[in-house]
Amino acid sequence: MRFLGINAIFHDPAAALVVDGKVVAAAEEERFNRRKHGKRPLPFSAWELPEQAAAWCLREAGIGPEDVDAVAYSYDPALVEQRPDGDWEDLRTRYAVRAPLFLSTALPGLDAARVRFVPHHIAHAASAGLASPWRDCAVLVCDGRGENVSHLAGRYTGGELEVLAAQPLPHSLGLMYEDVTEHLGFLRSCDEYKVMALASYGRPRFLEELRELVYATGDGGFHVTPIEWGGYAKALRKGEPWTDDHADLAASVQARLEEVLLDLARWLHERTGERRLALAGGVALNCVANTRLLAEGPFDEVWVQPAAGDSGTALGGALHLAQVHGEPAAPMSTAALGRGFTDEELGAWLDVARVPYTRPADLAAAVADELAADRLVAWFQGRSEYGPRALGHRSLLAHPGHAANTERLNDVKGREQFRPIAPMVLEDRAAAVFGRGPVPSPYMLFVHDVLPGWRERVPAVVHVDGTARVQTVSPAAEPLMARVLAEFEARTGLPVVVNTSLNTAGRPMVDDPRDALECFGSSPVEVLALGPYLIRRGEVFAS
């Protein structure tokens, strides 16, 4: 059977297609419409659907809208508490009620009667528990909000979900983190990862006060008292410089989030006795908290959905419907679920653009040469990643041995200088360089300590607190990138390469060849590896 998943109600609109229990395609609308996060998370944008992503998913499978057995819309308006007329939230609900009609209009041939409303946190839970490597596991979802709750705790047994706890709104750890994001001058529902990065520069000196305001309630839920952030640090406007007070506030909120998540995990473990935990929801993108959950929590293994934010509910909704219809989900083995292009298609793009290029006999060796010479390489290979992390398919690569490359890459991307850049490393070499975090770690969702002796050798990927957000690379799963890493180590003695997303500030990650060429042409990147082809800046502009 064929199940199409749709996320549209808040932010990160996305579509995913599951056929006979297997994920065939998944993509975020931002990669098509080129608007970061697809749209802003406002009630009056709730009508906007991931039309291009959904149409592409169907084309990828070679089917039309009329061939879909059911559509999962990852929000159930029937669960929303009624609000007085004129409330903006009421507008969001009105749009959600009409989603079947909107979808049948956007995808001609789709029967509106085939649309099913899947509760937001059930879709999140399915994206974790059903996509994980396990049939039996505990599942913890934590985000800003759904219809009427902000979290879910439960367990999957044989693919069936048992909900054990859910925290009613207005209490929300995700909204708390969004609030402090906005207070610190960043964009809420967008820049929360910047708060996590800034936290490493501060001390959690407000932690005791926050413990009185934010705490687990002992029944699987938690309490969040409205917080007057101005009592800790003045509100910042976008672009204003941060102070020690702002870094300390970020550190305090980050620490309290971690503590409450640990309390929730311990309660869940006591109730289930499970050894394994699957995570989803926007809070699960907090890789620092994930690492602490694994290191100090009661679970032996933790798996995090790579698209843990709202985009992942498209996948979770489709998997949930498949399970309901008796089609158990196959484990999610890769996040490379988006668009890909043949060598011939890529070559045609280059010919149309009249860009000079070469086709090296050994692309991995050629790219390793460029990296060893300290050149920045835009890397475009295979199918694009589903979720917010660049995982070696739409990446910007660099030499990790030069500390200046951190500032250099942040300048190229137009990012704040306090933000770290991440390393890639071969799976079997990771333990020699990094400690504490799990190995393998293919989705860059945990932090690792950079071991003594290596911090001076790979300074570009070492954050101020001595950690790095590592992606491990398996030769079986990623043979080309594995060869680049091996060739780079042969030339430099370093088993690590810098990996950050291939985009510039405020723009979504590069997705198709036009995006790659535009990014290459507008930023000081020396080399573009587009499929098997190599484009060098000097040759382009010399022509």
Side-chain angles (χ1 to χ4, degrees):
M1 297 181 73
R2 307 175 180 101
F3 299 100
L4 178 66
I6 297 290
N7 170 62
I9 196 69
F10 294 117
H11 48 79
D12 298 304
L17 185 67
V18 173
V19 178
D20 299 331
K22 182 180 179 181
V23 185
V24 171
E28 296 167 72
E29 187 71 3
E30 70 163 22
R31 310 296 170 84
F32 297 83
N33 68 17
R34 308 310 297 160
R35 294 165 60 194
K36 188 73 171 174
H37 295 289
K39 62 179 183 179
R40 292 301 301 139
L42 305 169
F44 40 85
S45 72
W47 65 272
E48 296 186 51
L49 296 168
E51 298 182 29
Q52 296 180 75
W56 171 78
C57 285
L58 297 177
R59 289 197 303 272
E60 182 69 11
I63 64 174
E66 66 278 2
D67 300 315
V68 174
D69 292 290
V71 177
Y73 184 85
S74 60
Y75 187 84
D76 187 350
L79 299 178
V80 178
E81 180 182 344
Q82 293 299 311
R83 292 172 171 82
D85 288 343
D87 191 292
W88 283 121
E89 205 55 44
D90 181 60
L91 180 61
R92 194 196 306 269
T93 305
R94 289 171 189 243
Y95 282 142
V97 168
R98 291 163 176 76
L101 177 61
F102 293 160
L103 283 163
S104 65
T105 302
L107 301 171
L110 176 68
D111 183 354
R114 295 186 179 181
V115 178
R116 303 285 182 269
F117 293 117
V118 177
H120 188 72
H121 286 84
I122 298 296
H124 266 311
S127 79
L130 294 181
S132 78
W134 319 304
R135 292 287 287 166
D136 299 342
C137 64
V139 62
L140 184 63
V141 174
C142 194
D143 66 357
R145 54 158 300 178
E147 298 87 351
N148 55 6
V149 300
S150 68
H151 128 286
L152 177 151
R155 73 171 146 205
Y156 275 95
T157 305
E160 297 293 329
L161 175 64
E162 177 187 7
V163 178
L164 298 173
Q167 177 57 55
L169 293 168
H171 303 284
S172 169
L173 295 173
L175 290 181
M176 174 194 71
Y177 214 91
E178 286 187 20
D179 288 344
V180 79
T181 297
E182 186 172 52
H183 186 78
L184 292 172
F186 307 126
L187 186 61
R188 68 181 304 134
S189 296
C190 179
D191 291 345
E192 283 69 30
Y193 54 90
K194 297 182 183 180
V195 177
M196 182 180 70
L198 183 59
S200 297
Y201 288 82
R203 298 179 296 108
R205 61 187 174 96
F206 306 122
L207 182 55
E208 286 301 326
E209 295 171 60
L210 290 179
R211 284 172 175 157
E212 298 296 319
L213 301 172
V214 183
Y215 50 86
T217 51
D219 57 0
F222 49 85
H223 177 94
V224 179
T225 305
I227 300 171
E228 176 49 59
W229 301 110
Y232 303 100
K234 75 165 190 173
L236 288 177
R237 294 178 182 175
K238 183 178 180 180
E240 284 187 329
W242 53 272
T243 68
D244 288 345
D245 284 346
H246 298 103
D248 290 349
L249 177 57
S252 301
V253 172
Q254 174 68 29
R256 190 58 189 142
L257 174 72
E258 295 167 13
E259 291 177 345
V260 175
L261 289 174
L262 277 167
D263 287 340
L264 297 177
R266 289 167 182 141
W267 179 91
L268 183 57
H269 182 262
E270 289 176 2
R271 288 292 303 271
T272 66
E274 294 287 351
R275 295 178 44 251
R276 295 160 169 161
L277 174 66
L279 296 175
V283 174
L285 292 172
N286 192 305
C287 54
V288 177
N290 294 344
T291 301
R292 191 166 175 191
L293 271 177
L294 179 60
E296 300 178 30
F299 293 95
D300 296 334
E301 297 179 75
V302 176
W303 188 85
V304 186
Q305 165 57 239
D310 275 7
S311 64
T313 64
L315 173 60
L319 291 173
H320 175 75
L321 288 189
Q323 179 68 33
V324 168
H325 285 80
E327 294 188 347
M332 182 175 172
S333 60
T334 179
L337 298 168
R339 285 189 287 181
F341 303 85
T342 65
D343 293 351
E344 292 71 25
E345 288 172 326
L346 295 173
W349 273 95
L350 293 173
D351 290 337
V352 168
R354 298 182 181 179
V355 173
Y357 61 88
T358 61
R359 185 168 184 164
D362 188 339
L363 180 70
V367 168
D369 285 339
E370 301 289 348
L371 292 170
D374 200 26
R375 298 188 181 98
L376 301 184
V377 177
W379 178 260
F380 184 107
Q381 304 293 331
R383 295 179 67 172
S384 61
E385 301 94 337
Y386 183 46
R389 310 289 194 227
L391 301 169
H393 291 246
R394 303 291 187 270
S395 292
L396 188 57
L397 309 178
H399 195 306
H402 306 297
N405 277 343
T406 305
E407 182 175 350
R408 182 184 179 195
L409 282 168
N410 281 332
D411 283 343
V412 166
K413 290 167 64 68
R415 306 192 328 170
E416 298 86 353
Q417 289 298 342
F418 64 80
R419 291 172 56 188
I421 51 178
M424 283 178 154
V425 62
L426 281 172
E427 193 175 291
D428 63 0
R429 298 286 285 125
V433 185
F434 304 102
R436 187 167 62 116
V439 175
S441 184
Y443 300 129
M444 206 183 292
L445 286 163
F446 297 87
V447 295
H448 296 64
D449 294 326
V450 184
L451 295 177
W454 281 99
R455 296 180 185 182
E456 297 75 20
R457 297 185 66 187
V458 291
V461 298
V462 184
H463 195 30
V464 66
D465 60 0
T467 67
R469 189 178 66 195
V470 173
Q471 178 195 352
T472 60
V473 175
S474 161
E478 302 286 351
L480 181 58
M481 180 51 70
R483 286 204 60 242
V484 171
L485 287 163
E487 294 285 346
F488 182 75
E489 183 173 14
R491 287 156 175 75
T492 65
L494 302 176
V496 171
V497 165
V498 172
N499 168 37
T500 188
S501 57
L502 183 53
N503 67 328
T504 52
R507 300 285 291 166
M509 211 183 307
V510 159
D511 198 77
D512 73 8
R514 183 191 297 275
D515 304 332
L517 288 167
E518 289 178 349
C519 185
F520 177 67
S522 62
S523 61
V525 175
E526 287 97 336
V527 181
L528 169 61
L530 189 78
Y533 309 108
L534 215 58
I535 303 96
R536 294 179 173 87
R537 174 168 296 277
E539 295 171 1
V540 170
F541 289 97
S543 65

